[in-house]
Amino acid sequence: MSRYHCLPSLVSLIALAVCRMGCIQSIACKPRIRRENIVVYEVSASIDQCPTIIEENSPIVLRYKTPYFRASAGVVMPPVPRNETWVVGWIQACTQMEFYNTYGDIGMSSWELPELREGRVKAISDSDGVSYPWYGNTTETVTLTGPTSKPSRLTVSMNDNFYPSVTWAVPISNSNTPMLTHITRDQSFITWLVAMNSVTKERIVLQTVRWRMRVDIAVDPDMPLGSRASLVGRPYQEQPHILNYQEPIPPNALGRPNANDAQVLMWRPRRGAPLVVIPPK
C-alpha cells in the first residue's frame, strides 16, 4: 500500500503559494525561490506487495527480480525569475549494502562498496550514471526555465528494483559445476525530493524517504535446474518511510562515482586471502 502525505485541495495550495510569493507579477523585483514558497502534495512511496521472483532458465547463472520501489510527488513551484532555471526531481543514494553469494564451505563472492563499508563516506550516489545528481532524467525530473509568470504544477516519479545474475559455479573457477548454496542481500537507500537551481546549484530538500530491500535465497546445487532455489525468510518487503523531517544530502550522493561504478566483486575463500574478481570502474 502506498503511503501518502495529504494536504488541502490543490486549488487552495496554489492560492497559498501565490500569496506567499509577494511581487510575483513583476520580473524586475525578482522574487527569490524559497522553501516556504514551494508546495508539495500527494507524496507517495511504496514497494510492490509481491515476492522476489527467482529465474532458473540458464545453466550458467541464477537471476532474481525484486519488487519495485516506487515514489511520486506533486509540486507547485512559484514563478521562476528571468535567467534562472530550476530542476525538481528525485536524488537517491545507497547508505548500506550487504550482498553475499555463498558457495558451500568453499567461500563466498561479495559485491561491496569499499568506501561505504569502511565508513569513509555516508552514502554513494545511485544516479543512472549520466544525469548526476538525479536518479534519472525522464519521469524523475522536471525543468523550469524563467521567466515564468505564474506557479507551475508538476509531478515527478521514479522506480527502482534489483535484477542481477549470480553464477551457479564458483566465479573464479574454470569449472561449471553448480556450487551456489545461498544468496543474501540487504541494501538501504535514502531518496530525496529536491528543487535545485541549475546555475548556482542551490538545493532545497522538499521530502526525504528511507527504504530497504532484502533478499534471502536458499539453493540446493544438487537439484536439477529449475528446482534448485527458493525464497526463505519474509516474502514481502518492509514499506518505505516518508520522514516528517528532511535529512541533508551527503556530498558523495551528488556526484561520481555512482554505486554501479564504485562497487567491486570480491572472492572471499574460507581459507586464504580475498581476491578482487571485478574491480570498480
Side-chain angles (χ1 to χ4, degrees):
M1 176 184 293
S2 298
R3 297 186 173 193
Y4 292 92
H5 279 190
C6 296
L7 297 174
S9 72
L10 183 57
V11 172
S12 64
L13 291 175
I14 295 175
L16 177 61
V18 172
C19 289
R20 285 173 172 176
M21 282 180 291
C23 50
I24 65 171
Q25 296 300 325
S26 172
I27 299 301
C29 74
K30 198 173 183 179
R32 183 180 174 187
I33 292 180
R34 302 176 184 274
R35 175 62 186 95
E36 58 266 27
N37 297 336
I38 301 171
V39 177
V40 180
Y41 64 99
E42 291 184 358
V43 178
S44 68
S46 65
I47 296 177
D48 293 350
Q49 289 281 7
C50 59
T52 294
I53 298 171
I54 301 172
E55 298 179 0
E56 295 187 38
N57 304 319
S58 165
I60 307 300
V61 296
L62 172 152
R63 302 196 75 189
Y64 64 84
K65 186 175 185 179
T66 66
Y68 279 92
F69 163 77
R70 305 178 191 273
S72 179
V75 178
V76 179
M77 286 288 288
V80 176
R82 187 183 303 277
N83 299 325
E84 288 191 17
T85 298
W86 284 78
V87 180
V88 179
W90 296 100
I91 294 173
Q92 181 163 284
C94 176
T95 58
Q96 174 263 341
M97 182 171 81
E98 296 176 1
F99 187 177
Y100 305 123
N101 307 310
T102 304
Y103 295 83
D105 60 359
I106 301 171
M108 69 177 185
S109 65
S110 113
W111 284 103
E112 301 174 9
L113 295 167
E115 288 189 323
L116 198 60
R117 182 194 67 217
E118 296 163 10
R120 287 182 280 150
V121 299
K122 293 182 178 180
I124 299 252
S125 168
D126 198 32
S127 166
D128 61 5
V130 177
S131 310
Y132 292 101
W134 308 105
Y135 181 75
N137 65 356
T138 53
T139 64
E140 298 88 357
T141 59
V142 172
T143 300
L144 300 173
T145 301
T148 60
S149 61
K150 59 183 180 179
S152 301
R153 174 188 175 185
L154 54 96
T155 301
V156 286
S157 62
M158 62 162 286
N159 62 70
D160 189 14
N161 80 326
F162 306 153
Y163 193 18
S165 300
V166 180
T167 58
W168 294 110
V170 173
I172 62 167
S173 169
N174 292 324
S175 169
N176 290 326
T177 303
M179 300 294 291
L180 179 68
T181 55
H182 209 106
I183 297 171
T184 303
R185 186 166 183 174
D186 186 351
Q187 210 162 338
S188 299
F189 300 88
I190 304 179
T191 307
W192 295 272
L193 177 65
V194 178
M196 186 173 76
N197 186 312
S198 295
V199 177
T200 66
K201 305 305 178 185
E202 176 189 357
R203 292 184 303 275
I204 302 173
V205 177
L206 305 174
Q207 193 69 63
T208 306
V209 178
R210 280 186 171 269
W211 63 282
R212 181 180 185 183
M213 191 79 77
R214 287 179 280 187
V215 176
D216 196 0
I217 298 174
V219 182
D220 184 346
D222 296 325
M223 294 293 287
L225 184 67
S227 55
R228 293 174 183 166
S230 59
L231 284 178
V232 292
R234 57 187 297 166
Y236 303 109
Q237 302 294 327
E238 178 185 350
Q239 289 300 304
H241 300 280
I242 300 174
L243 305 186
N244 57 10
Y245 59 93
Q246 308 315 329
E247 295 198 10
I249 306 176
N252 288 80
L254 297 169
R256 299 177 187 276
N258 68 350
N260 284 340
D261 289 347
Q263 66 184 354
V264 54
L265 180 62
M266 299 293 298
W267 170 249
R268 298 189 177 277
R270 183 65 61 90
R271 300 175 185 83
L275 176 69
V276 175
V277 180
I278 301 176
K281 295 180 182 178

